[in-house]
Amino acid sequence: METKEEPPIDYEDMVFMPEFTGPLAVENVKNRFEKDKIYTNVSSILISLNPYTELGLYTKRMYQYYQFNKARDKPPPHLFAVAKSAYRQMLYPTTEIPRNQSILISGESGAGKTEATKLFLRYFARQSEIVHRKKKSDGNAMSIEARIIQANPILEAFGNAKTLRNDNSSRFGRWLNVYFSKRGKIMMGSLTQYLLEESRVVFQDQGERNYNVFYQVCAAWFKNGDERMDMKQLEYLNKSGCQVVKGVDDLKLYNELMECFDQLGFSKDEQTSVLNILKSVLCLGNVVFEEGPVINGKGTSKISEKSNGYVKTLSECLKINERVLTKTLTIQDMAVGGRGSFVSIPRSKDNAEANCNSLAKRLYGKLFAWLVERINKSFRASCNGEVDLGSMRVIGILDIFGFEAFKHNSFEQLCINLANEKLQQYFVKQVFKMELKVYAEEKIDVDDIPYPDNTDTLHLLEKTGGVFSLLRDELKLKTGTDMGFAAKLQKEQQYHPKFKAPRRQGEPYFTIKHFAEDVVYSAEGFLAKNRAKLTQDVKDMINTSTDTVVKEMSDETAPKEDDTERKMRRRGPRRKKKAAPTLAAQFQSQLNALLAQINSTESHFVRCIKPNKLKAAKRFDQAEVIRQLTTCGVIDAVTVRKLGYTNRMSHWPFFKRYGVIRGGNVYWQKGVDYIKENKKICEQAERLVPESFKKLIPIALWQSGSSIMFFKAEVQVELEKLLREVQDKAATKIGKTVRMFIIRRRFLRKLNTYKELQEAVNDPTASLEYIEGCLEKAKEIGVIPRLLEDAEKRIAKLVEARTALQNALRKEQKTLKLRVDVMNKALAKAEALIHNSNEQKAIHSVLPCFIELVDAIASRVSEACKDAEAGTQLREMISKCRKTCSRVSLLTIQLDKAEEVAFALRTLRVLDEVDERLKKAMRLRNLTEVKDALASAHATKLGEGTYSPTQETKNRQ
């Protein structure tokens, strides 16, 4: 016997999976992905797979479905469902849920984080427009909703680049605060950026590109005839072997970028300055240094003559004196003695190149920071200064890099993974520690629940003697090196459970056991990348710029001291020089501020996943997906939730749903103690849970809190089974009752129809039409065939009698007397069948008409005998009557004798009336009255002698 295959698992929320493992989670996600269901919930976490194709999931209709959905059941997982939840909780906060919300989006490059951010902004913008329609203004002022949307192309141009994993990868983290009024209208936005990948400006791996904006502006410059800015000749753009992305029109994107600048209120001077700074960054890459003469045993450098054109362009773009620029690039001025004394030290070729690259990176990094602040200024300008931030409600959207582990991991990966460790700790706190708070409030015993904690890893990274602490200490040493930092770290943390040193000493590697996986870091370049400052002489050079944007974005905007100020400073006491903050310190400070802000909100998590590395549609790589589910904490999330009570309901809703398990008498009882009954219901369900499951669970299967029932998924499964059994029994009983009612009603209707038809057949006074109507009704319902046959026989006899009567009336005879005899025979044949009193009344009404006709024609006959003209009139009347007779096929009128004419005329009227009534009613049954009427007409003796008015009068009396 063949067994039916079980349907593939398809859980919208994986918390409710009866058995959860990594492979089962991937199988569930895969089955949904193959059905174009790219979203799956894990409790409050949304897993989003990038389909790499358009699926029609973000149409206006889909937006309206999630906006106006009021169904009792939870809508399917979707980004719009998360957006709606955050928006509604912001508008209607409770004592348990704060009014400010946050949406934390994370994932690897190419997983769809940026697109998810755009979709959230689009949803909030639509909600804002619906709640508060924009009023017409005198000018062309742009709404804040539109400004927030228009900021995305600028951020993507300056902060995104093509990588091996994604054609439009976001190379920075961003936190966007969207401020709403109490009614839900967007009032303002505020953007913060984190850890822009500045190293990409000077170096890209093979197959990758620099930031998008460089290729866009180069396309425009080359079109305008600036051949020196051809991207093929620019060193910062032509080393990776990838300059064009299939399907991307850089010139078109440049035009859109300029349009966004205009719409956000960037002045023409600001736009020109931005383009000049971009050109200066590219020019720095083409400045070539040559070896200079050796001075005092140290090498020097000079700028190659073929680079003079780029130096001149660089000077013009930054608005810095060309001589000062050339000197600063090749010679370093260093302060000595702390009293305003300087010494000039020629830069070696390597040092000059490194300084040039540092300047390019810092210029671009500062330009990006200036753009973010300028966008924020545009956001603030849209509200006309009428916003009170204290009264605003906020939804923060975090689009940040996911956990990274490559073959070669450096300082950038360490910072990124630190951020993910922090967010993972917050995530665990949200998912588990907040659970413990609820359990404590409900007086639930859950002391035995274990949970994953990455505090040790964070201590390894941040505490004294940790990675970042030792890195700061090494930076303070003039002789500090990457190898020295790695050696101290290996010695200090060699026994830490989350740290692993290399097998061979003297290698600049170390391994950290992160929550997601073990990552091997290379310390090479840590110190250089962590230095977040330019040399003072380079800063002073930038401060000499006359360009407003350059001065605003520089590290130090204050002018250089004049001689008087320098002398006054020398006379005062010497102050200890404050060390410039390192890049790691800045990032840690920003990260802590971000987490403090997130902690004050109700968070919603979105984990973006790449289904494959090839960015191919309809392709699912199980190994790649399970790796990402693990690194983004989803596996731990389900594990944590399943360790506790995944299901909970308030006591009354629980009893309202499952109370019928205890029986109808208990469920409908007034004043029932439903808390006590809930416990009995859970006990009944617990007895059905297999013992093998109970041994694997460290806590009770269910517990009753002060206001909430907590129960494991295994108990819920048994509760649903019990509920289904009760519902099935009730459904069976209801079905039986309904079917009985339907069949009984059908039987009674058939019975009534049977009685009605039987009475009609047996009633001699019933009309033909009535019997036929009863017969048709009986055939529709399906009455006993024998009765139908009797009715049909009865109808056949009636039809036969009617046909005989009609023939008797219409068949031509030689004399009227013969016609009356034929009629008498037909009446005698049908007399036993027809006994209808109504038809008897109709026949009685014929005789007065007959007598009236006789009286009317009597005088005409007498006059016709004396006067030829009267005879002619009589003949015309008879001719007219003959035409009427021909229509009903009556006797041919004979005109030989006046008595026969008079008789014929009188008889014609009688027969015509009888025939007309027969034709109209078609339901004659009592032919006895017809027979009597004709007998009365025959008794006048019209056919046996002359007409006598006196006799007619007597007959009438």
Side-chain angles (χ1 to χ4, degrees):
M1 181 177 179
E2 295 183 359
T3 58
K4 293 183 178 180
E5 294 184 1
E6 294 185 1
I9 58 175
D10 185 355
Y11 288 88
E12 290 185 348
D13 192 337
M14 290 196 292
V15 167
F16 296 102
M17 293 174 63
E19 181 182 359
F20 182 85
T21 61
L24 284 178
V26 175
E27 183 182 353
N28 183 70
V29 173
K30 178 185 177 183
N31 293 336
R32 292 178 58 79
F33 180 76
E34 290 174 348
K35 300 175 185 177
D36 291 339
K37 299 177 181 178
I38 63 174
Y39 296 113
T40 305
N41 280 333
V42 181
S43 186
S44 59
I45 308 167
L46 179 69
I47 299 175
S48 171
L49 271 71
N50 192 339
Y52 295 113
T53 186
E54 179 61 42
L55 297 178
L57 298 178
Y58 316 107
T59 61
K60 183 178 180 181
R61 183 176 181 181
M62 187 66 70
Y63 162 76
Q64 292 174 343
Y65 169 76
Y66 281 92
Q67 179 192 9
F68 301 111
N69 178 50
K70 295 182 180 180
R72 182 178 298 177
D73 296 334
K74 187 177 180 180
H78 197 282
L79 285 175
F80 289 165
V82 177
K84 178 182 179 180
S85 175
Y87 188 79
R88 288 185 61 84
Q89 291 181 16
M90 176 200 69
L91 289 180
Y92 310 107
T94 63
T95 54
E96 295 84 8
I97 301 176
R99 70 181 185 182
N100 293 338
Q101 307 290 309
S102 61
I103 301 175
L104 310 183
I105 308 171
S106 65
E108 294 186 356
S109 176
K113 302 187 299 295
T114 302
E115 291 302 317
T117 302
K118 290 190 218 176
L119 290 168
F120 281 124
L121 291 176
R122 188 195 306 174
Y123 182 92
F124 295 141
R126 285 181 176 176
Q127 286 290 95
S128 177
E129 291 173 357
I130 291 174
V131 172
H132 189 90
R133 296 290 182 183
K134 182 183 174 184
K135 298 181 180 179
K136 294 182 179 179
S137 58
D138 297 334
N140 295 322
M142 195 176 190
S143 67
I144 180 60
E145 298 92 344
R147 289 177 186 265
I148 292 176
I149 298 296
Q150 287 297 325
N152 272 315
I154 299 176
L155 296 174
E156 287 188 18
F158 285 85
N160 289 26
K162 180 190 181 304
T163 65
L164 296 176
R165 295 182 174 184
N166 184 12
D167 289 345
N168 190 35
S169 174
S170 178
R171 308 313 301 162
F172 70 104
R174 61 174 164 176
W175 169 261
L176 175 62
N177 273 330
V178 184
Y179 294 87
F180 295 83
S181 66
K182 293 181 179 180
R183 293 186 56 194
K185 182 186 184 305
I186 295 178
M187 302 301 295
M188 198 182 76
S190 176
L191 183 66
T192 305
Q193 61 93 12
Y194 300 93
L195 200 65
L196 178 72
E197 188 184 13
E198 295 182 0
S199 60
R200 179 170 292 273
V201 175
V202 300
F203 174 78
Q204 310 91 42
D205 290 330
Q206 286 296 311
E208 297 189 347
R209 293 208 313 176
N210 209 320
Y211 287 102
N212 295 335
V213 68
F214 289 122
Y215 303 92
Q216 295 170 12
V217 295
C218 283
W221 290 331
F222 186 74
K223 182 182 178 182
N224 294 332
D226 191 350
E227 297 182 357
R228 287 193 307 108
M229 301 310 294
D230 182 5
M231 64 182 71
K232 296 179 181 179
Q233 301 178 13
L234 298 172
E235 295 296 318
Y236 285 163
L237 305 181
N238 63 7
K239 296 298 184 182
S240 65
C242 179
Q243 295 176 327
V244 178
V245 179
K246 185 178 180 180
V248 176
D249 188 344
D250 289 316
L251 183 60
K252 179 181 178 182
L253 292 176
Y254 169 81
N255 294 329
E256 293 177 359
L257 175 65
M258 293 298 104
E259 184 178 349
C260 290
F261 278 143
D262 291 334
Q263 292 178 347
L264 289 180
F266 283 71
S267 66
K268 294 299 180 182
D269 290 340
E270 288 176 329
Q271 294 180 36
T272 301
S273 295
V274 170
L275 295 177
N276 285 338
I277 294 170
L278 291 173
K279 183 177 288 189
S280 67
V281 171
L282 293 175
C283 287
L284 283 170
N286 278 45
V287 176
V288 178
F289 295 91
E290 297 177 348
E291 294 284 355
V294 177
I295 300 177
N296 296 328
K298 295 183 178 180
T300 62
S301 62
K302 63 178 181 178
I303 297 176
S304 173
E305 292 183 1
K306 65 179 183 180
S307 302
N308 290 336
Y310 288 104
V311 174
K312 182 177 180 181
T313 303
L314 179 62
S315 172
E316 293 173 353
C317 291
L318 294 178
K319 296 184 180 180
I320 296 175
N321 184 275
E322 184 177 352
R323 184 178 60 81
V324 174
L325 177 63
T326 303
K327 176 179 179 296
T328 305
L329 292 178
T330 56
I331 299 175
Q332 179 181 2
D333 289 338
M334 297 183 63
V336 292
R339 296 185 177 274
S341 299
F342 293 87
V343 60
S344 296
I345 303 175
R347 299 181 187 272
S348 65
K349 179 176 180 293
D350 293 340
N351 182 272
E353 291 175 349
N355 180 62
C356 193
N357 288 336
S358 297
L359 178 58
K361 291 188 291 184
R362 294 306 295 155
L363 277 176
Y364 190 80
K366 287 297 180 180
L367 173 62
F368 188 76
W370 179 87
L371 283 170
V372 171
E373 182 55 35
R374 183 62 182 79
I375 290 172
N376 287 334
K377 181 179 178 182
S378 175
F379 291 163
R380 292 191 293 269
S382 64
C383 60
N384 299 321
E386 300 176 358
V387 174
D388 179 12
L389 295 182
S391 63
M392 292 295 101
R393 306 183 179 201
V394 182
I395 296 180
I397 303 176
L398 178 65
D399 174 6
I400 200 164
F401 14 69
F403 187 87
E404 291 188 352
F406 305 126
K407 290 182 179 180
H408 180 79
N409 301 285
S410 188
F411 177 72
E412 292 85 359
Q413 281 69 47
L414 183 66
C415 291
I416 288 172
N417 292 340
L418 169 64
N420 280 273
E421 287 285 355
K422 289 269 193 180
L423 292 172
Q424 177 66 10
Q425 185 186 52
Y426 172 75
F427 170 77
V428 171
K429 179 181 177 181
Q430 286 291 104
V431 173
F432 185 77
K433 293 186 178 179
M434 297 304 291
E435 294 282 301
L436 293 180
K437 181 180 178 182
V438 175
Y439 297 154
E441 292 175 352
E442 291 290 325
K443 300 178 181 179
I444 298 297
D445 181 16
V446 289
D447 295 337
D448 298 331
I449 299 180
Y451 67 93
D453 190 359
N454 64 340
T455 303
D456 288 347
T457 306
L458 289 173
H459 287 172
L460 171 62
L461 292 171
E462 294 188 299
K463 290 296 182 179
T464 303
V467 177
F468 286 94
S469 175
L470 291 177
L471 182 60
R472 285 194 299 271
D473 294 341
E474 192 70 17
L475 283 167
K476 295 177 182 178
L477 301 175
K478 294 183 179 180
T479 58
T481 62
D482 296 329
M483 192 61 237
F485 158 70
K488 293 176 183 177
L489 180 63
Q490 294 166 7
K491 181 180 179 181
E492 185 75 20
Q493 302 294 342
Q494 58 181 332
Y495 299 112
H496 196 284
K498 297 296 182 179
F499 183 85
K500 184 178 180 182
R503 292 183 179 179
R504 293 182 297 180
Q505 294 182 353
E507 292 185 345
Y509 300 104
F510 59 93
T511 302
I512 294 180
K513 299 178 181 180
H514 290 283
F515 74 95
E517 60 179 295
D518 297 352
V519 180
V520 180
Y521 295 97
S522 172
E524 293 179 352
F526 262 48
L527 270 65
K529 293 178 180 179
N530 196 39
R531 290 188 176 97
K533 65 174 184 176
L534 296 170
T535 56
Q536 187 60 44
D537 60 327
V538 177
K539 294 179 181 179
D540 293 339
M541 176 197 69
I542 295 175
N543 286 332
T544 63
S545 172
T546 58
D547 187 280
T548 306
V549 175
V550 174
K551 292 180 71 66
E552 288 180 359
M553 73 183 198
S554 62
D555 285 331
E556 295 178 7
T557 57
K560 295 179 70 174
E561 297 175 320
D562 56 21
D563 294 337
T564 305
E565 291 173 338
R566 188 178 295 111
K567 290 178 181 179
M568 291 180 66
R569 183 171 60 83
R570 288 177 182 175
R571 294 172 185 170
R574 294 182 62 182
R575 291 175 293 182
K576 186 177 180 181
K577 185 178 180 182
K578 186 178 180 180
T582 63
L583 185 60
Q586 292 179 4
F587 181 68
Q588 286 179 281
S589 176
Q590 286 182 324
L591 191 57
N592 291 332
L594 172 65
L595 287 169
Q597 191 168 5
I598 292 176
N599 272 309
S600 65
T601 66
E602 177 71 14
S603 296
H604 308 262
F605 299 93
V606 178
R607 297 293 189 256
C608 297
I609 304 294
K610 294 192 306 181
N612 59 81
K613 293 182 179 180
L614 303 177
K615 297 176 283 189
K618 305 291 184 180
R619 188 164 183 173
F620 191 92
D621 186 341
Q622 293 193 7
E624 180 69 12
V625 172
I626 194 171
R627 181 186 66 78
Q628 294 177 74
L629 289 177
T630 303
T631 57
C632 70
V634 172
I635 302 298
D636 285 344
V638 179
T639 303
V640 167
R641 290 286 295 185
K642 292 181 75 67
L643 286 173
Y645 293 104
T646 56
N647 305 287
R648 65 200 63 184
M649 293 177 68
S650 298
H651 282 294
W652 173 243
F654 182 91
F655 182 75
K656 194 174 181 181
R657 177 169 178 80
Y658 298 111
V660 292
I661 296 176
R662 295 283 297 153
N665 294 333
V666 175
Y667 186 72
W668 297 107
Q669 180 182 353
K670 291 184 178 180
V672 61
D673 186 356
Y674 54 84
I675 297 179
K676 181 179 179 181
E677 294 298 330
N678 289 344
K679 295 179 181 179
K680 293 180 179 180
I681 293 170
C682 287
E683 289 173 354
Q684 184 177 350
E686 183 181 7
R687 289 193 291 268
L688 300 176
V689 177
E691 292 296 329
S692 58
F693 279 104
K694 294 180 181 179
K695 293 179 181 179
L696 298 175
I697 300 172
I699 61 175
L701 290 176
W702 64 272
Q703 293 194 51
S704 176
S706 57
S707 62
I708 298 175
M709 286 295 298
F710 296 87
F711 47 98
K712 303 285 288 183
E714 291 76 13
V715 174
Q716 188 196 27
V717 171
E718 300 303 331
L719 286 172
E720 291 297 327
K721 287 182 180 178
L722 290 172
L723 179 61
R724 195 178 303 113
E725 290 177 3
V726 174
Q727 290 173 340
D728 289 344
K729 291 179 181 179
T732 302
K733 187 174 182 179
I734 292 171
K736 288 167 57 179
T737 305
V738 171
R739 284 193 296 273
M740 181 193 71
F741 172 77
I742 294 173
I743 293 174
R744 176 179 173 81
R745 186 176 63 178
R746 188 182 301 166
F747 171 78
L748 292 176
R749 185 180 176 190
K750 185 181 291 187
L751 181 63
N752 292 334
T753 305
Y754 170 80
K755 290 180 179 180
E756 187 178 357
L757 180 60
Q758 192 175 38
E759 291 174 358
V761 171
N762 296 330
D763 185 6
T765 63
S767 65
L768 175 62
E769 283 71 18
Y770 177 71
I771 298 175
E772 288 178 341
C774 292
L775 180 62
E776 291 297 328
K777 186 177 178 182
K779 286 181 178 180
E780 292 179 1
I781 296 177
V783 180
I784 302 173
R786 181 182 57 78
L787 184 59
L788 296 178
E789 293 176 0
D790 293 343
E792 289 176 347
K793 290 178 181 179
R794 173 71 171 166
I795 291 173
K797 289 180 180 180
L798 292 175
V799 171
E800 182 182 357
R802 173 177 288 181
T803 304
L805 289 173
Q806 290 178 346
N807 290 338
L809 284 171
R810 295 175 180 175
K811 188 174 181 181
E812 295 185 3
Q813 302 293 338
K814 292 182 179 180
T815 63
L816 182 60
K817 185 176 181 180
L818 184 58
R819 182 186 182 115
V820 171
D821 291 340
V822 173
M823 177 64 70
N824 285 333
K825 291 179 181 179
L827 289 171
K829 186 176 181 181
E831 185 175 3
L833 299 174
I834 302 176
H835 304 284
N836 193 304
S837 59
N838 292 329
E839 292 167 2
Q840 292 177 3
K841 292 179 182 179
I843 296 303
H844 282 301
S845 66
V846 173
L847 290 178
C849 296
F850 173 77
I851 295 172
E852 182 180 357
L853 176 64
V854 172
D855 290 341
I857 295 181
S859 60
R860 292 290 185 97
V861 174
S862 301
E863 293 176 0
C865 296
K866 300 177 182 179
D867 188 1
E869 185 177 353
T872 303
Q873 293 177 356
L874 183 59
R875 285 180 174 82
E876 291 176 355
M877 182 179 294
I878 293 172
S879 177
K880 186 176 181 181
C881 292
R882 288 179 66 182
K883 294 179 180 179
T884 304
C885 291
S886 65
R887 289 198 298 270
V888 294
S889 301
L890 293 177
L891 291 173
T892 302
I893 302 300
Q894 300 293 328
L895 302 178
D896 295 339
K897 297 179 181 180
E899 292 82 3
E900 188 174 355
V901 171
F903 179 82
L905 291 174
R906 292 195 301 272
T907 305
L908 175 65
R909 180 62 181 271
V910 174
L911 296 178
D912 191 47
E913 288 289 334
V914 172
D915 191 58
E916 284 296 320
R917 290 186 179 277
L918 286 173
K919 286 195 298 181
K920 286 180 181 179
M922 292 299 289
R923 61 178 182 272
L924 281 177
R925 297 294 180 273
N926 192 353
L927 298 181
T928 304
E929 193 64 28
V930 177
K931 180 179 178 181
D932 294 342
L934 292 175
S936 298
H938 186 65
T940 57
K941 301 181 180 181
L942 294 176
E944 298 180 358
T946 58
Y947 171 72
S948 173
T950 304
Q951 183 66 32
E952 180 62 32
T953 303
K954 290 179 180 179
N955 289 336
R956 183 173 60 182
Q957 293 174 354

